[in-house]
Amino acid sequence: ISVDEPTVSFFMFVNDSPFAGRAGKYVTGRQIRERLERELEVNVGLRVDFTDTARMKVSGRGELHLAVLIENMRREGFELAVSQPEVIFKEEDGKKLEPYEEVSILTPEKFSGAIIEKLGKRRAVMTSMAQEGAEVRIIFEAPTRGLLGYRNEFIIDTKGEGILTSVFSHFGPYAGEVQKTELGSMISMARGKALSFALANLQERGTLYIAPNIEVYEGMVIGNTSKGEDMSVNPTKGKQLTNMRAAGSDENIKLTPPLDLTLEKALGFMREDEYLEVTPTSVRLRKQHLTETERSKKRKTN
């Protein structure tokens, strides 16, 4: 039996956010390392590099393979952090190679145009298209790099009616630049509880991940911005109290329900300079450098 090579990797390490240790039962680097060693005994497609004791490089057969591992650890009581998933490249005869997947999509025909257009920008090539009743089956050959983060968009574009499956195909020539929908991050610049008044103003700038009365910390990503640029905000800011207050003004605040930030969605949304904080009770995105000053210094050195 041949086992497919890993195609995607990320770094896994101890959660060091301001909320670290609140919910997890197993939080140390030694406990995470031992858990990964046990996983290697049964998970034949997984590879773990333990060279760096602080950051273990975990490689698997696709985004979903790694997401299942994190979810299992989370349910067992582990608390950890991971970096953005990255595709594993190879070099043969001086040529750069990357993993490709065969993507099978079953969708109502009315959504096929948007799917073909978006996957085309992500360097996918359509190999076949056939009618199946009221739906169409479309087969693509796509670089794994182009599929990272696409599943969230696919669900939105097909209104939840489409089905997408993919399987590793081969390592092929580097496909070139991939065009993705870039979302900016809405970053909290304060620590405390999020207030309805502040969130009502912020929801006009993008999509929120949090509801009122949720605790936040400086550097935590609380939503995304549609313009694709990072924005520092204060979700804990309350309304200025005055002697003259309009009747019913506080009751008129209408909030859109926040986006449920699941593990799979968070892996798709996270950016290169962010970490994903995973605990048994919650999933949070955060910047690698929590303060604006630290992030500015990092930008200047790059």
Side-chain angles (χ1 to χ4, degrees):
I1 299 172
S2 63
V3 179
D4 291 337
E5 294 181 60
T7 57
V8 178
S9 68
F10 58 42
F11 287 99
M12 183 182 290
F13 42 92
V14 172
N15 179 25
D16 64 351
S17 88
F19 291 170
R22 289 189 175 190
K25 184 178 177 184
Y26 309 109
V27 299
T28 67
R30 180 182 59 81
Q31 289 169 327
I32 294 171
R33 181 190 180 98
E34 288 174 354
R35 174 63 179 80
L36 290 175
E37 287 173 345
R38 292 198 303 273
E39 185 70 22
L40 286 172
E41 295 175 7
V42 294
N43 196 334
V44 294
L46 198 71
R47 302 283 185 275
V48 184
D49 183 354
F50 295 109
T51 307
D52 187 341
T53 54
R55 286 159 49 100
M56 290 151 280
K57 189 173 184 179
V58 183
S59 305
R61 291 175 293 173
E63 204 174 10
L64 186 60
H65 184 204
L66 296 176
V68 169
L69 169 65
I70 300 172
E71 179 63 26
N72 286 339
M73 291 178 69
R74 185 179 77 84
R75 293 184 182 188
E76 291 167 17
F78 281 86
E79 188 171 310
L80 49 94
V82 299
S83 64
Q84 185 187 44
E86 293 182 344
V87 165
I88 298 171
F89 294 102
K90 287 171 60 177
E91 193 163 310
E92 284 184 8
D93 302 322
K95 292 182 179 179
K96 188 177 184 180
L97 304 179
E98 65 176 317
Y100 282 75
E101 297 183 34
E102 184 182 84
V103 184
S104 176
I105 291 175
L106 185 65
T107 177
E109 192 170 1
K110 60 185 177 181
F111 302 129
S112 60
I115 292 168
I116 293 168
E117 182 185 357
K118 281 199 175 177
L119 281 177
K121 290 180 179 178
R122 290 169 173 260
R123 298 290 179 175
V125 176
M126 186 173 69
T127 57
S128 72
M129 185 174 182
Q131 199 79 28
E132 290 191 11
E135 299 179 309
V136 288
R137 170 84 60 185
I138 317 173
I139 308 295
F140 293 91
E141 188 175 87
T144 301
R145 188 165 46 96
L147 293 177
L148 293 179
Y150 174 67
R151 281 181 168 83
N152 295 325
E153 287 188 42
F154 176 76
I155 292 168
I156 295 168
D157 289 345
T158 61
K159 296 180 170 58
E161 296 180 44
I163 299 171
L164 184 152
T165 57
S166 64
V167 62
F168 173 72
S169 173
H170 65 284
F171 272 86
Y174 180 71
E177 186 185 352
V178 167
Q179 295 179 36
K180 296 184 180 180
T181 305
E182 284 292 337
L183 294 172
S185 296
M186 213 180 280
I187 313 153
S188 174
M189 56 195 291
R191 180 167 179 165
K193 283 193 175 180
L195 300 178
S196 299
F197 176 76
L199 297 183
N201 293 323
L202 294 177
Q203 69 182 6
E204 298 173 9
R205 314 285 291 274
T207 303
L208 293 173
Y209 302 153
I210 61 168
N213 298 318
I214 295 292
E215 274 197 273
V216 299
Y217 56 80
E218 184 178 8
M220 179 174 158
V221 177
I222 64 160
N224 61 56
T225 61
S226 51
K227 291 188 177 180
E229 296 177 356
D230 283 356
M231 179 172 66
S232 294
V233 299
N234 186 357
T236 66
K237 186 178 180 181
K239 188 174 182 180
Q240 292 289 337
L241 297 179
T242 62
N243 291 330
M244 300 292 290
R245 299 180 66 179
S249 59
D250 288 344
E251 290 75 27
N252 289 335
I253 294 176
K254 292 182 179 178
L255 290 175
T256 305
L259 178 74
D260 182 21
L261 195 65
T262 62
L263 181 61
E264 196 172 356
K265 285 178 185 173
L267 285 170
F269 288 147
M270 74 186 300
R271 305 182 72 178
E272 191 179 353
D273 64 340
E274 294 172 358
Y275 290 146
L276 180 60
E277 177 186 359
V278 183
T279 78
T281 56
S282 56
V283 173
R284 304 183 192 96
L285 283 172
R286 50 159 284 200
K287 287 295 178 183
Q288 293 178 7
H289 301 280
L290 297 180
T291 67
E292 182 60 44
T293 306
E294 290 173 336
R295 292 194 293 274
S296 296
K297 284 181 181 176
K298 182 66 178 176
R299 282 194 293 268
K300 287 175 183 176
T301 56
N302 287 344

